[in-house]
């Protein structure tokens, strides 16, 4: 992991954030350039900072005006950022506009202003900030995670401890990443992935996920596994195309291992892939969950979803990087999964705004999810049908949406 640290308008490369980061990371992994904000256009700075990002494993850290750029880079590269008293609207700040900075730079800043929230932004907002005294409202509007801390604009007390806490939160939020988090009628269907021991593990593979995986650097992984929860099209509809793509795009060197949760689902998948999709057997391996011997895999967990697929719907119990992970898949009940949860566990659960007999209705489940969270379980919501309404329901709780790549 690398850090790009961006100081504020009149700041220095070795600012307090940099010094705090040096106590956490090797200085070789931290890039902290001296920035000439007055004589360099915002467009040039964005290009310069973007050129510094030479891997896909960066975290952007920014103070004040540097925070605005860290937020921009986070959105562009879909990576987390830590912001300390970010200046989201530099074109409105007199200390900047009266500094001698060219008027066209100020206009560029106005055009760069954002109004949408960044789910990957983790923000520290000082309670005694006299430079940006009303900044908290901007922060909560534009960043999902905002923590009020004691300090001034450029000096946050115990900033190293606060940054360490946010880094832990970032690590938790990125344990299982999602190619999509929508339900059946969404633009991007629910599908997750993680990497362990240089193996890429997908949970379900709808067509929308295949489109994202093919843009990843998937060839670097030794093996690719697809764990199937059930055979609904929004969970398995991209598997056939994925098999063909990996087989031919890797010049016949790689094939995918499909993990069916049961023998019955394995037979259904073989019918789908070979009789309907027309896949060749040499393109893939298919095994059942009880045949999978991997340290990241614990068990398939049978659950209840739709009546035509009785006995054929499952979640998964996993061990990702040593963490106890429970993934419900599509389910109408949480009961099979509750015994697997303990303090420190990660629960990835579906959450529906609309009530039905085949999904977990969030309004009904909310007290139980909050109780689990209060007991020390990390609760993440997926398979969302109406994101904006669900976001309102979980406001002021510790529940989170799963994080998209």
């Amino acid at each position: 992991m690398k850090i790009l640290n961006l100081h504020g308008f009149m700041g220095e490369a070795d600012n307090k954030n940099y010094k705090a980061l040096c106590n956490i990371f090797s200085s070789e992994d931290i890039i902290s350039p001296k920035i000439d904000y007055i004589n360099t256009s915002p467009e040039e700075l964005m290009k310069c900072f973007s050129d510094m990002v030479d891997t896909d494993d960066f975290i952007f850290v920014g103070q004040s005006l540097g925070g605005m750029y860290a937020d921009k880079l986070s959105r562009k590269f879909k990576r987390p950022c830590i912001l300390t008293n970010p200046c989201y609207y530099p074109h409105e700040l007199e200390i900047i506009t009266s500094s001698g900075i060219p008027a066209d730079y100020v206009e560029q800043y106005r055009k760069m202003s954002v109004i949408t929230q960044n789910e990957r932004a983790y923000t520290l907002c000082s309670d005694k900030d006299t430079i940006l005294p009303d900044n908290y409202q901007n922060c909560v509007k534009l960043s999902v995670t905002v923590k009020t801390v004691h300090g001034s604009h450029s000096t946050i007390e115990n900033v190293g401890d606060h940054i360490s806490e946010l880094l832990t939160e970032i690590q938790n939020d990125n344990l299982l990443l999602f190619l999509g988090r929508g339900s059946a009628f969404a633009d991007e269907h629910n599908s997750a992935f993680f990497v362990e021991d240089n193996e890429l593990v997908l949970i379900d593979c709808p067509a929308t996920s295949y489109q994202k995986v093919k843009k990843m650097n998937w060839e670097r992984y030794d093996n690719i596994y697809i764990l199937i929860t059930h055979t609904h099209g929004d969970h398995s509809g991209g598997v056939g195309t994925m098999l063909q793509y990996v087989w031919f795009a890797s010049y016949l060197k790689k094939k995918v291992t499909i993990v069916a949760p049961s023998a019955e689902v394995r037979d259904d998948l073989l019918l789908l892939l070979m009789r309907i999709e027309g896949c060749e057997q040499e393109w893939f391996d298919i095994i059942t969950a009880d045949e999978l011997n991997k340290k990241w895999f614990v068990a398939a967990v049978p659950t209840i979803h739709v009546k035509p697929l009785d006995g054929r719907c499952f979640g998964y119990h996993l061990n990702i990087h040593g963490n106890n992970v429970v993934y419900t898949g599509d389910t109408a009940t949480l009961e099979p999964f509750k015994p697997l949860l303990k303090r420190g566990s990660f629960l990835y659960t579906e959450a529906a705004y609309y009530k039905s007999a085949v999904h977990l209705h969030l309004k009904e489940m909310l007290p139980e999810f909050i109780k689990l969270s209060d007991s020390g379980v990390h609760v993440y919501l997926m398979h969302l049908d109406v994101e904006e309404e669900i976001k309102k329901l979980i406001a002021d709780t510790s529940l989170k949406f799963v994080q998209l790549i």
Side-chain angles (χ1 to χ4, degrees):
M1 179 186 297
K2 287 190 176 181
I3 303 293
L4 178 57
N5 177 63
L6 304 176
H7 65 74
F9 185 65
M10 302 298 288
E12 297 294 334
D14 61 345
N15 65 354
K16 293 180 175 62
N17 285 353
Y18 174 77
K19 290 172 181 174
L21 289 165
C22 285
N23 290 325
I24 304 171
F25 299 95
S26 167
S27 60
E28 296 176 354
D29 294 326
I30 305 171
I31 302 172
S32 189
K34 173 63 178 174
I35 307 166
D36 184 357
Y37 287 111
I38 292 180
N39 298 302
T40 315
S41 75
E43 291 176 356
E44 289 178 88
L45 287 175
M46 271 300 293
K47 182 180 185 308
C48 177
F49 298 148
S50 297
D51 289 344
M52 295 177 184
V53 181
D54 57 1
T55 75
D56 58 2
D57 195 22
F58 262 82
I59 290 180
F60 304 105
V61 179
Q63 157 67 20
S64 192
L65 184 54
M68 189 211 72
Y69 282 97
D71 174 67
K72 289 284 185 186
L73 293 163
S74 168
R75 295 171 190 259
K76 177 178 179 179
F77 291 100
K78 298 183 177 180
R79 291 293 303 160
C81 63
I82 294 176
L83 315 177
T84 57
N85 296 318
C87 177
Y88 282 109
Y89 305 109
H91 61 286
E92 298 178 356
L93 194 62
E94 185 178 2
I95 193 173
I96 293 177
T97 58
S98 64
S99 67
I101 190 170
D104 61 321
Y105 292 4
V106 175
E107 177 61 14
Q108 285 182 37
Y109 280 124
R110 186 189 66 78
K111 291 180 178 179
M112 290 171 68
S113 298
V114 296
I115 58 172
T116 57
Q117 198 172 56
N118 182 0
E119 293 185 11
R120 300 176 182 86
Y122 300 75
T123 301
L124 300 176
C125 187
S126 290
D127 58 357
K128 303 295 182 182
D129 189 339
T130 56
I131 304 296
L132 299 170
D134 301 317
N135 201 31
Y136 181 78
Q137 294 307 316
N138 291 329
C139 291
V140 296
K141 183 173 68 173
L142 299 172
S143 173
V144 168
T145 301
V146 181
K147 298 183 184 299
T148 301
V149 293
H150 189 58
S152 64
H153 180 68
S154 58
T155 301
I156 294 175
E157 291 188 10
N158 303 314
V159 66
D161 293 339
H162 293 304
I163 289 176
S164 292
E165 290 171 3
L166 291 181
L167 287 167
T168 298
E169 196 164 345
I170 289 171
Q171 184 179 38
N172 289 342
D173 292 348
N174 285 265
L175 182 67
L176 191 58
L177 290 172
F178 281 69
L179 301 157
R181 64 187 183 198
S183 58
F185 305 132
D187 292 335
E188 292 184 344
H189 295 144
N190 207 83
S191 175
F193 75 94
F194 63 94
V195 176
E196 187 145 346
D197 294 335
N198 208 42
E199 294 179 330
L200 175 63
V201 184
L202 304 178
I203 306 177
D204 287 334
C205 185
T208 55
S209 291
Y210 154 72
Q211 294 295 335
K212 287 191 173 184
V213 171
K214 79 175 198 176
K215 297 175 183 177
M216 294 169 56
N217 187 16
W218 56 268
E219 289 185 283
R220 68 183 180 182
Y221 301 115
D222 295 332
N223 299 299
I224 301 174
Y225 290 85
I226 303 177
L227 310 183
I228 300 297
T229 61
H230 63 297
T231 52
H232 274 160
D234 61 314
H235 293 264
S236 63
V239 176
T241 307
M242 177 74 77
L243 301 182
Q244 296 175 56
Y245 177 75
V246 170
W247 179 251
F248 289 107
S250 64
Y251 302 101
L252 318 186
K253 295 177 183 177
K254 285 185 184 289
K255 57 183 177 179
V256 175
T257 299
I258 301 169
V259 181
S262 69
E264 292 81 7
V265 177
R266 177 199 58 201
D267 294 343
D268 292 343
L269 286 168
L270 283 171
L271 174 64
L272 170 67
L273 294 172
M274 301 190 70
R275 293 287 301 278
I276 298 174
E277 293 273 4
C279 295
E280 299 283 352
Q281 180 64 72
E282 65 178 337
W283 297 350
F284 66 98
D285 293 321
I286 186 166
I287 61 175
T288 56
D290 58 3
E291 297 174 304
L292 180 62
N293 182 23
K294 292 290 179 180
K295 69 179 184 181
W296 45 260
F297 184 79
V298 182
V301 183
T303 191
I304 298 168
H305 179 31
V306 294
K307 192 165 185 58
L309 292 180
D310 272 355
R312 286 174 156 83
C313 296
F314 292 77
Y316 283 103
H317 187 192
L318 304 168
N319 178 16
I320 303 176
H321 309 320
N323 295 284
N324 186 53
V325 174
V326 175
Y327 186 98
T328 67
D330 285 12
T331 184
T333 176
L334 197 63
E335 292 306 312
F337 307 100
K338 287 161 67 173
L340 307 176
L341 298 170
K342 57 187 178 182
R343 174 173 288 276
S345 297
F346 290 76
L347 172 64
Y348 297 88
T349 176
E350 68 146 77
Y353 178 74
Y354 293 119
K355 187 174 183 178
S356 72
V358 298
H359 293 291
L360 294 178
H361 186 219
L362 182 57
K363 286 184 179 178
E364 295 178 353
M365 295 299 300
L366 196 56
E368 186 158 5
F369 289 157
I370 292 173
K371 183 178 179 181
L372 283 168
S373 181
D374 290 344
S375 73
V377 175
H378 305 282
V379 180
Y380 292 90
L381 306 184
M382 62 180 187
H383 202 268
L384 311 173
D385 49 4
V386 190
E387 283 203 11
E388 288 306 311
E389 295 300 326
I390 293 175
K391 188 179 293 184
K392 294 174 187 175
L393 287 174
I394 66 171
D396 302 320
T397 76
S398 54
L399 310 183
K400 291 186 174 184
F401 285 178
V402 296
Q403 202 159 103
L404 295 166
I405 62 165

